[in-house]
Amino acid sequence: MNTCSLQGKVALVTGASRGIGRAIAFALAQQGVIVVGTARSEETLQTVQHEIITVGGTFHCVVANLADPDSPKKIVDTTIAACGRLDILVNNAGIVAEGPLLEATVEEWDRLMAVNARAPFLLCKEAIPFMKAAGGGTILQIVSVIGVKAYVNQGIYTASKHALMGMSKVLAQEVQKDNIRVHTILPGGVATDMIAQVRPDLNPEELMQPEDIAEIVIFLLTHRSNAVIDDIHVRRANSSPWF
Ligand SMILES: NC(=O)c1ccc[n+]([C@@H]2O[C@H](COP(=O)([O-])OP(=O)(O)OC[C@H]3O[C@@H](n4cnc5c(N)ncnc54)[C@H](OP(=O)(O)O)[C@@H]3O)[C@@H](O)[C@H]2O)c1
């Protein structure tokens, strides 16, 4: 397979302040990509910016709350104002909630759906016209194995990731003619704050690391040949194969 350079491309990464998103931002910057990173915490984003600039990369911070339906347009407009184009969108930001489904509140349902499903949809809607103008682009959706599986006590999280998965499958078909590829990545346990919250019983050293997911992102972006991988399911080594 031939590989292509990402030098000078512009990528928007949501949830870039911590965990998987931070690792993706670093990996992209190492490839010469101009990265725009978003999250709610300005301080944490600025730390990432400082660390990336220190190693010679480029990183712009956009502080935004993806629970707000107006944020996606503001984020994409800021990206275009700062960088002039948008080639790659990584919908990574996500939140989790735990508990029996029938005890969940409407507020929890709306919050998870807003951040995990609606925001990626709205970001795609805002970003795609700029990708079309540039002659193509790539959208990477950081879903979860729960996008196709169902875990007890994670009902709303499961529903939100199934929604993201379904939306991505349709979108991939609708933008294929525009040379825009939509990939879904479905990881199992990755050592981040999120997994520490829901699975404190798991040893972080036995989980995947955020950099493992970042490597998959770089693989998908640099192997843009006639061989297309729609989705990648990836699990930690000590979980059951094919489970
Ligand atoms: N860790 C895992 O085992 C695992 C497995 C499969 C899939 N995933 C998925 O991978 C993605 C990243 O997860 P992670 O484990 O890296 O999580 P994490 O460490 O908790 O980081 C979440 C990121 O999203 C941002 N974020 C959260 N709520 C936001 C909001 N309302 N508006 C804007 N940004 C928001 C956070 O920044 P602020 O808090 O500053 O806003 C942070 O940068 C998620 O979509 C998750 O569902 C994770």
Side-chain angles (χ1 to χ4, degrees):
M1 248 188 208
N2 294 328
T3 57
C4 62
S5 169
L6 301 178
Q7 186 75 37
K9 301 263 185 207
V10 176
L12 172 56
V13 181
T14 68
S17 63
R18 292 186 271 125
I20 296 170
R22 178 182 177 278
I24 292 171
F26 261 88
L28 288 168
Q30 278 167 353
Q31 297 283 325
V33 174
I34 298 156
V35 181
V36 179
T38 78
R40 289 166 302 178
S41 159
E42 183 168 20
E43 197 183 334
T44 327
L45 264 187
Q46 284 175 345
T47 303
V48 175
Q49 181 184 44
H50 177 72
E51 290 168 345
I52 287 182
I53 289 173
T54 302
V55 295
T58 309
F59 184 93
H60 300 274
C61 302
V62 183
V63 177
N65 185 349
L66 290 172
D68 176 352
D70 296 331
S71 289
K73 178 166 170 45
K74 287 180 190 158
I75 294 167
V76 172
D77 286 352
T78 307
T79 302
I80 298 300
C83 310
R85 57 186 290 145
L86 179 53
D87 307 290
I88 300 159
L89 168 63
V90 185
N91 277 312
N92 164 76
I95 50 174
V96 69
E98 281 182 288
L101 197 50
L102 296 182
E103 290 175 19
T105 64
V106 70
E107 288 78 16
E108 277 179 311
W109 176 274
D110 287 347
R111 192 166 54 90
L112 263 76
M113 284 297 182
V115 176
N116 295 355
R118 185 180 68 191
F121 157 64
L122 291 175
L123 281 160
C124 290
K125 224 170 135 58
E126 295 298 333
I128 283 169
F130 295 102
M131 292 182 176
K132 283 186 185 175
T138 310
I139 296 169
L140 296 125
Q141 315 281 42
I142 309 301
V143 188
S144 163
V145 290
I146 218 165
V148 292
K149 294 181 182 175
Y151 291 164
V152 169
N153 286 332
Q154 293 187 17
I156 306 179
Y157 185 57
T158 301
S160 70
K161 292 292 187 174
H162 272 65
L164 176 59
M165 198 66 203
M167 183 272 279
S168 303
K169 287 181 185 174
V170 174
L171 184 67
Q173 296 173 64
E174 292 184 355
V175 297
Q176 183 183 20
K177 64 183 183 313
D178 302 306
N179 192 31
I180 298 170
R181 292 184 182 176
V182 182
H183 305 282
T184 52
I185 301 176
L186 288 76
V190 183
T192 68
D193 294 348
M194 178 183 279
I195 201 100
Q197 178 191 340
V198 290
R199 291 296 305 272
D201 55 305
L202 296 176
N203 177 356
E205 288 179 10
E206 294 179 354
L207 296 172
M208 288 181 280
Q209 298 304 310
E211 291 72 21
D212 294 322
I213 310 305
E215 278 181 24
I216 293 169
V217 167
I218 300 301
F219 177 88
L220 288 170
L221 288 168
T222 53
H223 290 72
R224 206 182 156 92
S225 69
N226 284 340
V228 183
I229 300 167
D230 289 324
D231 64 346
I232 292 186
H233 298 230
V234 54
R235 65 174 173 85
R236 60 189 159 93
N238 63 354
S239 69
S240 294
W242 302 108
F243 172 68

